[in-house]
Amino acid sequence: MTFPVVGIIGGGQLARMAHQAAIPLGIRTRLLADTPQDSASLVVNDVVLGDYRDLDTLRRFAAGCEVVTFDHEHVPLDHLRTLQAEGVAVRPDPDALMYAQDKGLMRARLDALGVPCPRHRLVADPADVAAFAAEGPEGWPVVLKTTRGGYDGKGVWVVRNEAEAAEPFRAGVPVLAEEKVDFVRELAADVVRSPHGQAVAYPVVESLQKNGICHEVTAPAPDLGADLAAEAQALALRIAGELDITGHLAVELFETRDGRILVNELAMRPHNSGHWSIDGAVTSQFENHLRAVLDLPLGDPRPRARWTVMVNVLGGDYPDMYHAYLHCMARDPGLRVHMYGKDVKPGRKVGHVTVFGDDLDDVRERARHAAAYLRGDITE
Ligand code: ADP
């Protein structure tokens, strides 16, 4: 058999890093991207430009691919089912992907599995949100989420009263209300599962979010009890199995003050919480995602160092990040830099840096310093 072509729908940085993982394996990637300037279009030579919502474009793209997988979760399920009926392998399966596309369906399925979640229900209008607040001990504020189409905190509102609850309903998409969890921190349990059922679990990580965007990930999550870590990994593996997910699954979690974990959401693709694994684990999330969708044996997910810290580089006011390399590289030869080839716009994820080692404070300081310097927040 010749080396397979893995089709990736979406041209963002996740596709770019998946391509990077494919190179040493000799696996070829084909991209369905919006523009030649997309992060992954800049590095993949087999690019189909077109609209992932158009069935004929998807057909043209999928022809000759061993398997089709994703950089984002927004492809219409009906189109994916049609491709499957025409013989295309789609991983994860649309029957699993639907739970990542729709937060209402996801909550209902997790409830049915008995998975602990924040108190929640679908709400019809601002008065219904007020009723929801009155139904539980937490009251206001309430978290409102559009069930579809959100990412990086877009589509999430924290509202303090009925008047503030009007905005989320304007899009005309069903709205999910959730108690605002008073969490100690956010965690992620990342696992990878292949079609024949092999699965691996990465160490549970701590993720620090600001304004709904992931800023920093520490692997493994510091001071997480062995029992809670094992419980989170077992929960993620169980969800992957029950939903028959293939490829990478990120289970975003809240750790509560009384030592429980609640599921925030599921992502069925490589995820920001796993970027540390490129430098910090024996096998990265991207390589294991590729192995899984091809039904190859999975690689060792264990960390290479005691601590790994990943900090996202967000666009600041200073567009010339290359200029900052001189300082960052001279200061820290152990620094790992990953840039996505994207234009610098304020707040946009344009890259990440990773540092690993034995001393958590040192590793964290170095990663934070480099990210802040690249962004232009500090000058020495
Ligand atoms: P997205 O799909 O845009 O990533 P999430 O559902 O993950 O949205 O929410 C983004 C962030 O908002 C979370 O990482 C968390 O910080 C906060 N958040 C979401 N739901 C809740 C909740 N029920 N209670 C408290 N904070 C929440």
Side-chain angles (χ1 to χ4, degrees):
M1 180 165 152
T2 53
F3 285 91
V5 177
V6 174
I8 305 175
I9 301 180
Q13 64 264 24
L14 300 177
R16 180 178 170 112
M17 290 185 271
H19 172 70
Q20 185 181 1
I23 292 170
L25 300 176
I27 291 166
R28 295 175 292 158
T29 53
R30 173 180 300 163
L31 213 61
L32 177 58
D34 293 334
T35 78
Q37 286 77 41
D38 287 7
S39 178
S41 303
L42 297 170
V43 297
V44 175
N45 64 5
D46 185 0
V47 183
V48 173
L49 294 177
D51 186 349
Y52 62 82
R53 290 162 296 197
D54 178 66
L55 180 57
D56 283 330
T57 302
L58 288 167
R59 283 192 175 114
R60 187 159 54 87
F61 160 75
C65 291
E66 180 83 12
V67 58
V68 166
T69 187
F70 308 94
D71 159 276
H72 63 71
E73 289 152 338
H74 308 307
V75 185
L77 297 175
D78 287 350
H79 290 352
L80 294 175
R81 293 199 174 102
T82 303
L83 291 183
Q84 278 185 317
E86 292 170 1
V88 177
V90 178
R91 293 180 184 145
D93 192 284
D95 287 343
L97 195 63
M98 66 181 181
Y99 299 108
Q101 287 191 352
D102 187 309
K103 290 178 179 174
L105 285 179
M106 184 257 295
R107 284 279 178 246
R109 185 77 163 98
L110 293 179
D111 284 349
L113 292 173
V115 170
C117 292
R119 188 174 71 85
H120 63 90
R121 71 168 170 83
L122 291 170
V123 281
D125 52 35
D128 200 16
V129 178
F132 173 83
E135 281 158 20
E138 319 84 12
W140 301 99
V142 167
V143 178
L144 297 178
K145 302 179 175 183
T146 49
T147 51
R148 306 178 66 89
Y151 67 98
D152 282 351
K154 296 181 180 65
V156 178
W157 293 260
V158 179
V159 299
R160 287 167 299 182
N161 51 52
E162 190 175 328
E164 284 183 8
E167 172 70 21
F169 294 95
R170 298 219 165 95
V173 181
V175 174
L176 181 73
E178 293 180 358
E179 72 173 281
K180 184 169 187 301
V181 179
D182 179 26
F183 54 78
V184 195
R185 57 176 169 176
E186 295 187 59
L187 303 169
D190 291 1
V191 298
V192 183
R193 183 173 173 276
S194 59
H196 76 273
Q198 191 194 5
V200 294
Y202 284 92
V204 176
V205 300
E206 174 181 318
S207 92
L208 192 72
Q209 320 274 129
K210 288 186 202 158
N211 305 322
I213 297 186
C214 173
H215 269 250
E216 184 175 305
V217 170
T218 304
D223 304 318
L224 183 67
D227 289 351
L228 207 54
E231 186 186 325
Q233 287 181 316
L235 184 67
L237 289 169
R238 185 169 152 241
I239 293 169
E242 295 277 6
L243 272 52
D244 200 13
I245 294 163
T246 50
H248 189 268
L249 165 70
V251 181
E252 296 180 21
L253 299 163
F254 299 126
E255 182 181 354
T256 63
R257 299 201 180 271
D258 55 356
R260 291 175 304 132
I261 46 174
L262 302 174
V263 172
N264 175 27
E265 72 162 344
L266 310 179
M268 295 179 200
R269 49 170 170 74
H271 188 255
N272 208 158
S273 60
H275 290 358
W276 69 275
S277 65
I278 301 174
D279 301 302
V282 177
T283 316
S284 78
Q285 62 161 346
F286 296 100
E287 176 166 340
N288 263 336
H289 182 75
L290 291 172
R291 291 192 192 205
V293 299
L294 288 165
D295 211 5
L296 290 168
L298 301 177
D300 188 345
R302 283 177 298 182
R304 291 201 239 217
R306 176 131 186 256
W307 299 109
T308 305
V309 173
M310 185 263 3
V311 180
N312 275 346
V313 179
L314 302 185
D317 298 327
Y318 183 65
D320 181 14
M321 292 202 178
Y322 183 67
H323 195 75
Y325 278 20
L326 189 62
H327 166 90
C328 291
M329 291 175 177
R331 182 182 195 262
D332 189 352
L335 178 72
R336 310 294 308 147
V337 179
H338 300 260
M339 282 293 159
Y340 306 153
K342 291 158 78 169
D343 286 339
V344 173
K345 287 188 197 148
R348 188 180 197 200
K349 288 180 189 171
V350 295
H352 72 265
V353 294
T354 308
V355 179
F356 52 83
D358 289 332
D359 179 343
L360 178 57
D361 290 337
D362 170 66
V363 163
R364 191 176 266 158
E365 187 280 328
R366 286 159 56 199
R368 285 182 183 170
H369 175 92
Y373 197 95
L374 285 164
R375 186 183 149 100
D377 286 351
I378 51 174
T379 52
E380 48 87 47

